[in-house]
Amino acid sequence: MVPFEKERRKPEAMLVAFDFDGTLSGDEMTTFLAERCGVVEQMDTITQRAMAGEIEYAQSLRERCGLLEGLADEEAGAAFEKVHLRPGAADVIAALNDAGVTTAILTGGFDRGVAAALQKADVTVDRIVANRLPVAEAQLTGEVEGPLIEGTKDDALADLAGEYGVEMDETVAVGDGANDLPMLEVAGLAVGFDPKETVEPACDVVVESMAELQDVLDAEGVL
């Protein structure tokens, strides 16, 4: 079990899945890691190529992680400690938990950054589906492992729905970027959090703050 996942419990009637970077958090984990390595410009170049469609997401992720080879694990930990939930995010998660709704974070980012942010906010979720940076001899290897490198968030959402006994029309997806499109397109309710222009057409509703998101979830009968 990943730290700051909740203890396993019986299936609930609804499932809310969040993206992390750009949605629950305004931080970018890879930027914090790149700062520790002195490779911010190279990291940004790869990111821009991916955003322009010049390279696929999986390739861009592997190239970005490759820049981190040799970074001391202690330095990586310090970078992850800089990751925070955006204002109001912990309140939304707590309200969902109190309402008995199953909560999940689906991110191409890294489990240690998610766990650090949840710990600081003193909040838990049912499941974290994230990638991870392998460590050998107290240094990052430059590789990346996990289910959301080649895998997509629609499959991850469907897998979780099946595990928790939730119908797909009882799922809610909250995201902002292109890699969130697959789960937004299959969820029962697709919520764009200040979404990119290409993502907004796939959203049933758009919000720009966590307070707005909580109002939407309340109005839709999720809370």
Side-chain angles (χ1 to χ4, degrees), residues 20 24-27 32 80-87 113 116-118 120-121:
F20 191 77
L24 284 178
S25 175
D27 299 325
F32 293 149
F80 287 131
E81 284 299 320
K82 295 179 67 176
V83 181
H84 293 79
L85 297 185
R86 69 169 69 248
L118 294 176
K120 284 190 286 286

Side-chain angles (χ1 to χ4, degrees), residues 7-169:
E7 294 292 337
R8 187 62 57 85
R9 62 183 187 186
K10 66 180 181 180
E12 300 290 355
M14 298 198 73
L15 165 64
V16 177
F18 297 94
D19 171 51
F20 191 77
D21 290 347
T23 301
L24 284 178
S25 175
D27 299 325
E28 181 62 50
M29 294 184 211
T30 54
T31 298
F32 293 149
L33 290 161
E35 290 171 348
R36 296 277 168 170
C37 282
V39 294
V40 174
E41 290 186 8
Q42 299 96 309
M43 191 80 73
D44 288 345
T45 297
I46 297 170
T47 300
Q48 291 302 318
R49 290 177 62 207
M51 291 178 64
E54 296 176 11
I55 54 177
E56 296 294 329
Y57 172 77
Q59 180 184 347
S60 74
L61 181 61
R62 290 191 175 98
E63 288 187 10
R64 283 180 286 159
C65 293
L67 294 173
L68 304 175
E69 182 178 0
L71 179 66
D73 186 46
E74 183 178 354
E75 288 289 309
F80 287 131
E81 284 299 320
K82 295 179 67 176
V83 181
H84 293 79
L85 297 185
R86 69 169 69 248
D91 294 333
V92 172
I93 296 172
L96 290 166
N97 290 341
D98 289 344
V101 176
T102 300
T103 51
I105 293 172
L106 310 183
T107 178
F110 310 116
D111 52 6
R112 289 171 65 187
V114 174
L118 294 176
Q119 180 182 25
K120 284 190 286 286
D122 193 25
V123 69
T124 59
V125 295
D126 286 288
R127 183 64 62 83
I128 299 167
V129 181
N131 297 324
R132 53 196 172 272
L133 297 172
V135 176
E137 298 181 356
Q139 296 180 336
L140 300 191
T141 65
E143 298 177 348
V144 58
E145 300 174 343
L148 291 176
I149 303 171
E150 301 288 351
T152 53
K153 293 185 181 183
D154 54 343
D155 291 336
L157 181 61
D159 288 345
L160 286 176
E163 179 178 342
Y164 285 97
V166 176
E167 299 295 329
M168 287 301 292
D169 62 4

Side-chain angles (χ1 to χ4, degrees), residues 189-205:
L189 177 66
V191 182
F193 189 93
D194 192 16
K196 306 297 188 290
E197 186 176 346
T198 55
V199 175
E200 188 168 346
C203 300
D204 298 311
V205 62

